[in-house]
Amino acid sequence: MTSIMKSMRTALKCIKNDKIVASDTVGSFLPLISTSFHTSAVCSKAQAGRYKVTKKRDRPLTYEQANKPHDIGHRKSWNSWNTSNLLDGLRPSETAIEDMFIRKFMSGTWHKLFLSEVIIKRRHNMIFIGGIVHQAIHARKMYFLLGYTEEILSYILKCPVKLELQTVSDRKDVVFKYI
């Protein structure tokens, strides 16, 4: 029996109840663990951004959700339009954080009213926010939320913000397909 096999058996004996017991053989064995070569099966099946098909095929998907991630740029456009990620672009990290803040702010202010994704477009110094909203509240409240959102985001982001919203009366109008 080789010395590696003996040290492996000793190290395995020192592990009890998922806790490593202090031993000098375990300490001498740890560098061997970190330098060993591991192989695993290739996982080329992409799962991110895809929705599982239900048995009854009754899960509604919007057009944004129905397109697969590899179709972005072909059949579907990006949800955030800016030029900060180009070569020598200014403030790429701040832009990403601001986009995340805008999406969180919109989902909190327009609670359960957005039926589509929040689309953010940056043109020069202005930020345009678009989306499809459900007509579940009175028009007066809708206009108040519109003005409130534009004013607060303009103040926080220190640039003019304009909302471009479309409304639908029924949630089923936004459904593209069922899976």
Side-chain angles (χ1 to χ4, degrees), residues 107-120:
S107 66
T109 305
W110 298 79
H111 186 65
K112 293 187 179 179
L113 291 177
F114 261 89
L115 301 178
S116 69
E117 300 289 327
V118 177
I119 308 298
I120 301 169

Side-chain angles (χ1 to χ4, degrees), residues 119-134:
I119 308 298
I120 301 169
K121 296 179 184 178
R122 295 175 185 263
R123 293 186 209 135
H124 303 294
N125 191 30
M126 288 191 71
I127 299 176
F128 293 91
I129 301 171
I132 301 174
V133 181
H134 186 235

Side-chain angles (χ1 to χ4, degrees), residues 19-70:
K19 294 181 181 175
I20 297 179
V21 179
S23 172
D24 50 13
T25 40
V26 173
S28 64
F29 182 71
L30 287 177
L32 184 70
I33 292 174
S34 63
T35 58
S36 45
F37 180 75
H38 297 281
T39 60
S40 61
V42 176
C43 184
S44 60
K45 188 175 179 183
Q47 293 288 333
R50 299 171 195 274
Y51 295 90
K52 285 188 176 180
V53 179
T54 58
K55 289 183 180 179
K56 296 181 181 178
R57 293 194 173 268
D58 58 350
R59 175 183 287 166
L61 291 181
T62 63
Y63 182 76
E64 294 276 326
Q65 296 170 335
N67 286 311
K68 306 259 186 304
H70 62 269

Side-chain angles (χ1 to χ4, degrees), residues 67-87:
N67 286 311
K68 306 259 186 304
H70 62 269
D71 289 333
I72 294 176
H74 299 283
R75 292 191 306 184
K76 176 188 174 222
S77 66
W78 289 267
N79 290 339
S80 183
W81 286 80
N82 59 57
T83 57
S84 63
N85 290 333
L86 296 176
L87 183 65

